[in-house]
Amino acid sequence: MLMPQRTSRHHGTGTIYRPAQPEHRAVSRHAVTSRLEDVAHSQTSQAPTASLRSATGGAHDVIAPHIASPSASGAPPAPPPPPPPPAEAEASPAVAAYKTELIEGPLAEFLATAKEIGGPVEHHSALLPPVLEAQLAYLALASQHAKPASSSLAPLLKPQADAIGAVMEAKDKLGRTKEGREFGTLFSVLGEGIGAWGWVQVEPAPAPYVGEMKNAAQFWVDRVVKTFKETKPAAVTWARAFVALVDALQKYVKQWHTTGVTWNPKGPAAPSSVPSGPTAPSAPVPPPPPPAAAPASGGGGGSGHAALLASLNQGGAITSGLKKVDSSQQTHKNPELRAAGVVPDKKAPPPVKPKPGQAAAAPAKKPAKLELEDGNKWLVEYQENNRDIVIDDTQLHQTVHIFGCVSSVIRITGKINAVSMVNCKKTSLVLESAVSSLSITSSPSFEAQITGTVPTVQIDTTDSGQLYLSTACMNSVEIITSKTSAINISVPTGTDGDFAERPVPEQMKSRVVDGKLVTEIVEHAG
């Protein structure tokens, strides 16, 4: 007879009986399993608990998940189930707009035109998507976090800087390859315009900065149109597609990030780095030239006989590779050469000694000067990397002469007679008003801004320059240029600080009409 044995565990209102295990009695597994199934059926309304091990082995594994541990037993309650994973934060409208208005639109069209050209242009264009993807990740991070300190922005901007650097590096590498030589202007379009994506570091007006980079690229786009308009129309379409992409970027920045990148002031602190995203692929490197063929051995074998027959078949041309020997190298005329056994090569001519004073040393660096001479002439000379030069004690009869300055900024307040800038490099000038004129000569990469009125601006023998006009002088200023290139005039278009850039014509067309020379500006469509 099977005697039940009461255990110390209670489940709900039922009791689990475990069969006694006498030493000399056999237990029917079928009976035990039936009893346990009845108990399990009575506990289906209870919550699941941890596994309960018993002597029934496999049968218990089947019903254990359906048996709940009673609270009266003193055992700790089962831990609550883990919370569901948090839903992924929705992209902000600015981030979504960046993806739809730039990546899915103009960028896709630009890549499609690059695919039509193929070759190195397609490879160079393929470096642009990583730039936009890195910037999209940065803007997504900014939309969810508070703005960090300026010193903490460098690691966050590094992915964008690396991607932009890859584009600029590829411009030089691809331009030196055999296939890329004819596309040098196309590489310059992308290399000059890629700087527009650096707007994330510009405050408080990044949109005009994007416009400046677009104008820098437009200079090369015009050359692409001129060079490939008839021979390769796909290149012209490619260049215009890139300008359209930069133009879309400027509109996006002006709408969503008017004063700089928009951060979330209520968000948590920004992390130390942007989550890893797609990296910019390295610029394709041209394959190395094929190895030079090894010279044929003159030793035995069939190759030696073949070389001998080939030489004999040259006929009289076989002596074309012989070197002419002058009388100083002939042994029958010079017995000392027979004794030496080696005929020296012809002596090289002695090096030409430089004339006295020809190799002049580098000129000594002259001291910087900022002073008022004779009460009517301001002298600003040899200033380098000085961006805090201010001339504010000005009078109507005074003039300002700027000479030999490099990477400096000069501000002139008040009304003055005239200003001249000569032999300066990368120098900026902010002028309020002048009675006579502003003259710029031999000063490449200059920038000049007029905040008041100036009747005449003269630019001579200067490559690359930017002139910003004020609203007050737009209808009265005259701009005279001579021997210049890449000069742009920025004209204000409204009260919000926007400028429209107008290039100064560089190409002229002259015709003889009725015995007179008529000159017109050459205009390019596009």
Side-chain angles (χ1 to χ4, degrees), residues 8-194:
S8 61
R9 293 193 177 183
H10 299 270
H11 300 270
T13 57
T15 302
I16 296 178
Y17 288 89
R18 291 184 178 176
Q21 299 180 356
E23 298 179 359
H24 306 288
R25 299 270 182 108
V27 180
S28 173
R29 177 175 294 273
H30 181 271
V32 174
T33 304
S34 300
R35 177 56 181 163
L36 292 175
E37 290 176 351
D38 295 338
V39 175
H41 180 71
S42 63
Q43 304 298 330
T44 55
S45 61
Q46 302 297 328
T49 184
S51 175
L52 179 63
R53 309 299 299 176
S54 70
T56 55
H60 175 269
D61 294 338
V62 177
I63 65 171
H66 303 282
I67 305 177
S69 299
S71 59
S73 63
E88 185 178 356
E90 295 183 359
S92 66
V95 175
Y98 190 94
K99 187 174 182 181
T100 57
E101 297 176 8
L102 294 175
I103 296 179
E104 297 178 355
L107 177 62
E109 297 176 1
F110 171 74
L111 296 177
T113 58
K115 190 174 182 180
E116 295 180 8
I117 302 175
V121 176
E122 184 180 5
H123 296 331
H124 198 199
S125 304
L127 300 177
L128 189 57
V131 177
L132 276 74
E133 294 293 344
Q135 190 161 102
L136 177 64
Y138 179 80
L139 296 177
L141 183 144
S143 66
Q144 301 173 8
H145 298 83
K147 184 177 182 180
S150 299
S151 58
S152 302
L153 286 176
L156 301 178
L157 294 171
K158 187 176 183 303
Q160 301 177 65
D162 293 343
I164 293 174
V167 176
M168 300 179 69
E169 183 180 0
K171 169 195 168 186
D172 298 328
K173 287 185 177 180
L174 294 173
R176 292 193 294 264
T177 61
K178 183 178 180 180
E179 296 180 352
R181 289 174 185 171
E182 65 172 319
F183 298 113
T185 52
L186 277 73
F187 299 146
S188 296
V189 170
L190 197 53
E192 295 294 332
I194 192 63

Side-chain angles (χ1 to χ4, degrees), residues 341-356:
V342 178
V343 179
D345 196 1
K346 190 175 181 179
K347 295 182 179 180
V352 179
K353 295 182 179 180
K355 297 180 180 179

